[in-house]
Structures are given as C-alpha cells and as structure tokens.
Amino acid sequence: MNVLSQMQSYGHERVTFHQDAKTGLKAIIAIHSTVLGNALGGTRRWAYASEADAMHDVLRLSEGMTYKAAASGLAMGGAKSVIIMPNANQQPTEAEARAMGRFVDTLAGKYIAAEDVGVSPQYCDWMAMETKHVMGGNTVSHGGDPSPYTALGCFNSMKACLTHTGRKADFSNLTVAIQGVGATGYRLAKLLRAAGAAVLVTDVHVPTMKRAVEELGCVALGNDKNLFEQKVDILAPCALGGMLDAKTIANLNCSIVCGTANNQLANPSTDGDAIAKRGILYSPDFIANAGGLIRLAGLYLGMTEAEIDQKIVDIEQITTEVFALANTGSTGAAAIAFAKVKIAAGASKKVLVGAGGGSR
Ligand code: NAD
C-alpha cells in the first residue's frame, strides 16, 4: 500500500492502524493536519472492498477535514477515522464502539471522534465511555447529531449559488434533485420544501426514500432513470463521494451542484475544471457541508450558540468568496487555495506567538 508515500503525497502528519482481538474491530485513524489545532472528524463504519479502499477513503476524508475547518475559520486541524466492517450486515455494538474509543484515546486529544456514515449519537456515547475525545453523543459526550446543521449550511451555500448565477435567493419555482435522503439529505429536503422548492429524490434504501415522499411531499425518481441526468435547477449529492466523474459531469443537466456529501469529485484535479467548463456552478463539498463540523467543533472549542449559528450563516458568504476566487475556473481548486491561505495565516500567527510575541 506504500503508506508513507501516500501520507507524503496527501501531506498527512500521522496515520494509525488498530485492531482489537476481542471484538474483531479493525480501524484506521488519519490525522492530516494539526497546524490550526487538534483535529475533529467523524468515524465512518463501512464494509470496504479492501484495506486499500479504506486507506484511500480515510486519507481523502481527513485531508478534506483540514480544508473544511480552515475555510470555516475554526481553530481546528483535520482528521477522520474509518472502521473496516467485515460485512455490510455487521451491527454496531457497545463492545466494538468502546474498543474504538480506546483507540481514539491513544491519540490523547490530537484526534476527536464524532459521527459519520454508519455511526450514530449512541455509538459516539459508547466510544465516549472510554475517552473524553469524542463529540456528537447525547449522554456521555455532547453535541448530538450534527446533520441538521450540515443541512442548514448546505441550504445557505445554495443561496450563494443562486445569487452568483444571477438569480434571487428564492427557492419557489425551483426543482432540486437530492441523491440520498438520509440524515442530511432528508433535512435538506425539508428546508427546501419549506422554502417552496419541488424536490426530486432517490435513495437505495426504499423506506428512507418513502419517508421523504410521504412526510415531505418529495417526488421519487423511477428506478429506470438517472438522477444526475434530470433537468433540474440544483443537484444535491447527499449520499457517498466520488459520484462526479468525467462521465456523470458530461451528462449533468443542472446549473448548480451543491450537496452535503464529502469528496464529490472523483478526481479533483480534473473534475473541478470539467464542471466549470460545462458552465455548471459547483459549490465545493467541504464549503457546503461544513455546518455539522462548525456545530461540534464550535461546542468543543467553547463557542456560544450565537457564535456557532453565525458561522453557519457565514457559509453563504464564504461560498461567494470562493466563487469570486475561482472566477471561471475550478471552484474546488479555489476552495483549497482559500483554505490554504487560512492555514498559512494561522501557522505564521502561531510562530509569532511562539517567538515571544504573545500579544500579537
Ligand atoms: P446517511 O447514511 O444518513 O444518508 C445517506 C443516504 O444515502 C442513505 O439513506 C443511503 O441509503 C443513501 N445512499 C447511499 N448510496 C446511494 C446511492 N448510490 N443512491 C442513492 N442513495 C444512496 O448519511 P449522512 O449523514 O446524510 O451523510 C451523507 C453524506 O454527507 C456523506 O458523504 C457524509 O460523509 C456527508 N456529511 C455528513 C455530515 C453529517 O452531519 N451527517 C456532515 C458532513 C458531511
């Protein structure tokens, strides 16, 4: 797997591998950067096809967390962890979560775990029985489910997309297509329906899709149709990453892509340009989906409710700033450049403080 070479190419500080003989738990924790502070990032439970796939996922996700925290103006680094499930039916247990909590604890607070796909607030509370470095639970740890805040931040980013494309930030008479109406997608659909949009949905889990139809009045797309090719105003990927590649981008029939999923571009070095060349505005994933991180990291850092809420409102402005930086080029590349400026500014401030300039 050439782990060290991969770490060098992504710029990771530390990657740790863990296995627990008693529960069979296998996990990887990747700390991409602690330049701006300790790093909060979710734990993903997934039945990866191979260890190499898990490694690729955790490296990309943790790198994205560094940019997400920096772009949002948080004093946080970037990290993420993955649990490699032996099969998709493996149920989460307290014993497994506690073993994961013990792994997290070995990093002494450099890494703070939270929810991601497959990990619930209950799972976070189980992990927190073994370490204080967990957010996102409701009893042993705190912060709760971040997905309502992620959805709200994405909705705010959509407003910036509308104004940038010369429209009013008014969702009535718009059609939005959402792929995946789970924790974040469902809440995004709810906000959009309340704002007057028509919402077209797909979900591989039929009861989840039915819930969005029955409770929110969304329209389910037939199995024979491809959501990414539907003529809509906004496409919101809210399932897993990597769905925007050369082929899907060539067939997109929307003017805006803005969703909650992480790592939407399969190949960031080419796909960002490809979307821009098609004249489609892409709101970079780690800008649009930062609301949940802002919520949990904000609580961890001791911010007030009002400060946290304001930062989620600010996602609209940050999206606009990234679009201005991108001009007609890749908005994904512009978002990374935007975050790197903040990381460099934070790093130089630390050096100045460390050099005896505490008041600077
Ligand atoms: P979730 O598991 O609750 O929901 C995802 C939904 O997508 C599920 O209902 C699943 O059945 C569906 N799905 C999976 N593959 C699909 C496909 N090919 N087509 C249609 N539907 C499909 O997860 P979530 O918490 O909503 O997270 C969704 C995405 O947002 C993930 O990429 C996650 O990393 C990212 N994200 C989530 C948060 C958060 O606060 N939960 C924060 C930032 C980013």
Side-chain angles (χ1 to χ4, degrees):
M1 250 202 296
N2 300 324
V3 175
L4 281 164
S5 318
Q6 288 192 65
M7 286 173 68
Q8 272 179 321
S9 86
Y10 283 101
H12 280 75
E13 290 176 11
R14 193 190 293 196
V15 177
T16 57
F17 297 82
H18 307 261
Q19 70 88 21
D20 177 62
K22 229 176 177 175
T23 57
L25 172 64
K26 290 199 267 181
I28 310 174
I29 302 175
I31 299 180
H32 180 255
S33 170
T34 55
V35 171
L36 296 183
N38 289 340
L40 188 148
T43 300
R44 177 170 290 188
R45 280 182 92 250
W46 195 253
Y48 291 98
S50 66
E51 286 181 14
D53 281 4
M55 183 72 180
H56 180 248
D57 206 26
V58 79
L59 291 180
R60 271 200 76 185
L61 287 166
S62 51
E63 181 192 22
M65 293 306 287
T66 299
Y67 302 142
K68 193 184 300 195
S72 310
L74 294 165
M76 274 272 155
K80 202 92 179 179
S81 57
V82 293
I83 290 174
I84 304 171
M85 290 161 61
N87 60 67
N89 299 323
Q90 176 91 357
Q91 291 306 307
T93 63
E94 179 180 330
E96 180 200 280
R98 290 183 74 153
M100 185 65 191
R102 289 193 291 277
F103 295 162
V104 171
D105 203 54
T106 61
L107 293 162
K110 286 268 173 227
Y111 171 59
I112 305 126
E115 290 93 341
D116 192 70
V117 176
V119 164
S120 62
Q122 168 66 81
Y123 199 93
C124 290
D125 279 330
W126 283 333
M127 288 195 283
M129 290 164 88
E130 302 286 346
T131 178
K132 58 182 188 214
H133 308 301
V134 173
M135 291 293 293
N138 291 316
T139 53
V140 190
S141 64
H142 72 296
D145 176 9
S147 58
Y149 303 92
T150 303
L152 181 59
C154 183
F155 183 71
N156 292 339
S157 189
M158 282 181 178
K159 290 186 197 165
C161 294
L162 290 172
T163 41
H164 190 79
T165 49
R167 308 189 219 185
K168 275 200 284 180
D170 175 2
F171 290 86
S172 53
N173 300 318
L174 294 189
T175 302
V176 182
I178 302 184
Q179 182 196 39
V181 272
T184 56
Y186 176 86
R187 287 175 175 88
L188 180 62
K190 196 169 182 181
L191 290 168
L192 288 163
R193 292 291 294 138
V199 178
L200 195 58
V201 296
T202 56
D203 199 299
V204 288
H205 188 240
V206 175
T208 301
M209 186 161 73
K210 269 196 177 157
R211 180 180 67 151
V213 171
E214 285 163 14
E215 294 179 11
L216 305 177
C218 297
V219 175
L221 189 73
N223 283 337
D224 54 326
K225 297 200 178 90
N226 182 338
L227 189 80
F228 281 55
E229 296 176 8
Q230 300 308 302
K231 187 165 172 40
V232 294
D233 298 288
I234 305 176
L235 172 70
C238 299
L240 293 179
M243 74 301 289
L244 292 169
D245 58 18
K247 197 170 158 222
T248 45
I249 290 168
N251 294 314
L252 288 175
N253 206 353
C254 57
S255 49
I256 292 165
V257 177
C258 180
T260 62
N262 280 311
N263 296 338
Q264 291 173 33
L265 305 180
N267 186 347
S269 59
T270 53
D271 296 334
D273 280 322
I275 296 190
K277 279 199 184 112
R278 285 225 42 221
I280 296 167
L281 187 65
Y282 166 63
S283 178
D285 43 21
F286 65 79
I287 302 287
N289 71 16
L293 174 70
I294 291 170
R295 173 75 188 165
L296 293 186
L299 291 173
Y300 180 85
L301 294 168
M303 288 164 57
T304 63
E305 291 284 334
E307 285 166 342
I308 292 170
D309 290 348
Q310 184 57 49
K311 273 206 174 296
I312 295 172
V313 170
D314 290 347
I315 289 176
E316 181 176 351
Q317 176 60 26
I318 290 172
T319 308
T320 302
E321 286 177 35
V322 168
F323 290 159
L325 193 64
N327 197 3
T328 55
S330 164
T331 54
I336 292 174
F338 180 86
K340 283 188 172 170
V341 168
K342 301 231 174 192
I343 295 167
S348 63
K349 213 161 137 198
K350 265 192 188 171
V351 171
L352 285 175
V353 172
S359 60
R360 277 179 273 183

